[in-house]
Amino acid sequence: HVCYWGKGYATEATKALVFWGFENLEINTIVAFTESDHGASRRVLEKAGFEHEGLRECHYGILERYEIHRKQNVKIDHIERM
């Protein structure tokens, strides 16, 4: 809903999912795709630490590809281990 836009909820959720993924799954990279004209989604990924890797063609069309890699001592300020 539009009343929740711009409040940082999507960025916070994305950071939490990245943290959980690297802590609980045996993965070294998380990949995300978004449409080129969806600036808000691109900003969420960038704020969460994803790096833009360029355009990629997939079955949905041509999308922006982002990646984040496991780093040693990953710290997310407001995420606590449960």
Side-chain angles (χ1 to χ4, degrees), residues 40-76:
S41 294
R42 295 177 70 183
R43 283 189 298 280
V44 164
L45 293 172
E46 291 164 0
K47 287 180 188 178
F50 283 77
E51 294 182 8
H52 185 252
E53 297 294 324
L55 294 171
R56 296 294 188 272
E57 187 171 354
C58 69
H59 57 280
Y60 291 114
I62 298 175
L63 300 175
E64 302 287 342
R65 179 185 171 108
Y66 286 82
E67 292 183 1
I68 189 167
H69 303 279
R70 178 187 299 273
K71 297 175 184 149
Q72 291 183 335
N73 301 319
V74 172
K75 290 180 97 174
I76 300 176

Side-chain angles (χ1 to χ4, degrees), residues 22-40:
F22 287 142
E23 286 290 311
N24 295 284
L25 303 174
E26 294 181 18
I27 57 175
N28 292 315
T29 304
I30 297 173
V31 178
F33 292 91
T34 186
E35 294 181 7
S36 296
D37 62 347
H38 203 280

